[in-house]
Amino acid sequence: MKGWRGLAVGAAALAVAVSGCGTSTSSGGGTETKEITVWLMDGSAAPTLTDALNKEFESANGIKVKYEVQKWTGIQEKLTTALASSTPPDVIELGNTQTASFADQGTLADLTADAGQFNGGEWLGGLKDSLTLNGKQYGVPFYAANRTVIYRTDLLQAAGVAQPPTSRAEWIDAINKLKAANASNPDFQALYLPGQSWYFLLSLIWDEGGDIAKQDGGKWTGTLDTPQAKAGFEAYKAIYDASATKKVPADIDEAKPQQMEVFGTGNVGMMVGLPWELGGAVKANADLATKTAAFPIPSKKAGSSAPVFLGGSNLAIPASSKNADAAKKYLALLSSKKYQDMLAEGGAVPGTSKDTAKLASNAIGKAMADSSPNGKVTPVTPKWAAVEAGQNPLKDALTAYLTGAKSLDQATKDASDAITKAMA
């Protein structure tokens, strides 16, 4: 995902971009860094973290930090303009599905040799994959989040489900028990599951040993029609069919309507979601604050969690930055345990630390922390953006299969062909 979101630009963006110059000529004819410009995205890091980070960096290095918070809306073009200038910002935040595209354009610095100073040995595999293109690393993981099953503790308890499910079979059994216990409520949904929740579908496909696409000799081919991927679709249908007496439409995703709003009505037992979605539900219905918890998306293998999509952001240094050495020092400080713990404390999977003790201090964070080591990302290629942003073949395949408009074989073949074409 694009960190969490993502087009528009003009003279104003260019003006901001060219303001990033932070060097001055020294008497020796070289340059001495006096200031670095850092662009982070709105909502990515709490002011308590960035204030402390910037203050410590300035004190330790004698270099001023020009810190600018950017909006997700329009950031793609704003970054494109800034990175094409001769004076870009020195540190930028990128969505983890944006990174490959900018790296492919040659606008990001190759940080492969520098990974050690950014705690490279502590990066989660999925996060490392998201910034690696053609064997080279073009950034540093910033943070991530992954979906868990958020549930109503009171409703599961009343339905006789004493412990959170630890296998897919147990989960479906819990869904059925919830339905039975609330049969008198025609609006009740044991699990709110829209037909096009494709990020959740990825977990099931990966859990079955399948994938979206494969690369061979530099060419990407869709693989949704393999037996393993088809098994993921079948698992989705089994969960979807069990989820409610009156199922959610098969042609909508989790954003329309926002599933946190639906969960907030009180007529839902579970949803597959992100921490901020629970936060939104609690804001609408404060009673939920003491009645919710979470567990990792269960695997078909008892006692294991399914792989999850790691959505989040990377940090990179523009290839044309005049202050790359100072920017690396900034990233090294942010990669330290002190600031990684602060990220975790704020509810995110830390980018450069596998220590998630601070994240696991509550039920939602613990479920996310437990499943994040098994995280993965979508195909790392500049071509993927066309798949996700266009007429998403995974969504189309789900709707066609769930409604019976196409057989499983036809739906997955059509989706695989569409992915192959989009990534050609």
Side-chain angles (χ1 to χ4, degrees), residues 367-416:
M368 196 161 66
D370 288 347
S371 49
S372 62
N374 203 13
K376 305 183 78 167
V377 292
T378 49
V380 183
T381 166
K383 303 290 183 68
W384 176 253
V387 178
E388 186 174 330
Q391 186 67 31
N392 191 320
L394 290 104
K395 288 186 173 184
D396 290 345
L398 277 169
T399 298
Y401 173 49
L402 294 175
T403 59
K406 292 181 182 179
S407 67
L408 175 60
D409 288 348
Q410 192 63 54
T412 54
K413 182 183 184 304
D414 289 349
S416 283

Side-chain angles (χ1 to χ4, degrees), residues 339-361:
Y339 293 105
Q340 293 303 296
D341 279 351
M342 290 178 74
L343 279 171
E345 215 164 16
V349 176
T352 61
S353 174
K354 293 177 182 175
D355 182 356
T356 53
K358 299 287 185 181
L359 175 61
S361 60

Side-chain angles (χ1 to χ4, degrees), residues 193-215:
L193 181 61
Q196 294 185 341
S197 188
W198 70 279
Y199 288 113
F200 170 54
L201 171 66
L202 294 183
S203 285
L204 301 176
I205 290 174
W206 289 331
D207 191 41
E208 293 287 349
D211 212 335
I212 311 166
K214 67 178 180 180
Q215 186 180 29

Side-chain angles (χ1 to χ4, degrees), residues 150-152 192 258-271 277-278 281-282 285 288 291-293:
I150 298 167
Y151 70 96
R152 287 276 302 273
Y192 180 75
Q258 289 284 347
Q259 65 177 8
M260 64 182 179
E261 295 173 1
V262 181
F263 191 79
T265 64
N267 289 318
V268 176
M270 294 182 269
M271 70 173 175
E277 291 178 298
L278 175 59
V282 170
N285 184 350
L288 294 177
K291 298 178 179 178
T292 50

Side-chain angles (χ1 to χ4, degrees), residues 8 12-13 34 37 103 250 254 261 316 319 321 324 342 351 378-379:
K34 297 292 186 183
T37 299
E254 71 280 2
E261 295 173 1
S321 167
M342 290 178 74
T378 49

Side-chain angles (χ1 to χ4, degrees), residues 159-161 165 167-179 242:
V161 181
S167 71
R168 192 190 299 163
E170 285 183 4
W171 188 20
I172 293 176
D173 182 61
I175 291 170
N176 288 326
K177 285 180 178 176
L178 270 174
K179 271 200 306 185

Side-chain angles (χ1 to χ4, degrees), residues 90-347:
D90 303 295
V91 174
I92 57 173
E93 177 181 348
L94 296 161
N96 60 10
T97 60
Q98 293 176 310
T99 309
S101 178
F102 284 111
D104 188 60
Q105 294 166 20
T107 56
L108 303 182
D110 177 1
L111 300 179
T112 310
D114 303 289
Q117 64 177 303
F118 310 133
N119 272 345
E122 288 287 296
W123 300 358
L124 294 178
L127 297 182
K128 181 178 179 179
D129 289 345
S130 75
L131 51 80
T132 303
L133 185 67
N134 299 324
K136 295 181 179 179
Q137 291 157 17
Y138 291 93
V140 176
F142 187 13
Y143 69 87
N146 54 268
R147 287 162 178 79
T148 63
V149 183
I150 298 167
Y151 70 96
R152 287 276 302 273
T153 54
D154 57 332
L155 295 180
L156 260 72
Q157 197 169 39
V161 181
Q163 299 293 330
T166 58
S167 71
R168 192 190 299 163
E170 285 183 4
W171 188 20
I172 293 176
D173 182 61
I175 291 170
N176 288 326
K177 285 180 178 176
L178 270 174
K179 271 200 306 185
N182 295 274
S184 61
N185 181 356
D187 296 320
F188 185 76
Q189 295 168 356
L191 169 69
Y192 180 75
L193 181 61
Q196 294 185 341
S197 188
W198 70 279
Y199 288 113
F200 170 54
L201 171 66
L202 294 183
S203 285
L204 301 176
I205 290 174
W206 289 331
D207 191 41
E208 293 287 349
D211 212 335
I212 311 166
K214 67 178 180 180
Q215 186 180 29
D216 186 12
K219 180 181 178 182
W220 286 90
T221 305
T223 55
L224 293 177
D225 54 350
T226 62
Q228 295 86 351
K230 287 180 186 178
F233 276 85
E234 290 175 322
Y236 191 106
K237 187 174 188 303
I239 297 168
Y240 178 80
D241 287 346
S243 63
T245 304
K246 186 172 69 177
K247 291 189 289 293
V248 183
D251 60 351
I252 65 171
D253 61 21
E254 71 280 2
K256 297 177 183 178
Q258 289 284 347
Q259 65 177 8
M260 64 182 179
E261 295 173 1
V262 181
F263 191 79
T265 64
N267 289 318
V268 176
M270 294 182 269
M271 70 173 175
V272 180
L274 294 159
W276 66 266
E277 291 178 298
L278 175 59
V282 170
K283 188 174 181 180
N285 184 350
D287 289 344
L288 294 177
T290 58
K291 298 178 179 178
T292 50
F295 56 87
I297 297 171
S299 169
K300 68 174 183 177
K301 180 182 177 182
S304 301
S305 63
V308 287
F309 172 74
L310 286 175
S313 290
N314 296 322
L315 298 168
I317 298 173
S320 55
S321 167
K322 303 293 192 300
N323 307 302
D325 288 343
K328 289 176 186 178
K329 291 180 181 179
Y330 188 87
L331 293 182
L333 182 60
L334 180 51
S335 298
S336 66
K337 179 173 172 53
K338 174 182 176 180
Y339 293 105
Q340 293 303 296
D341 279 351
M342 290 178 74
L343 279 171
E345 215 164 16

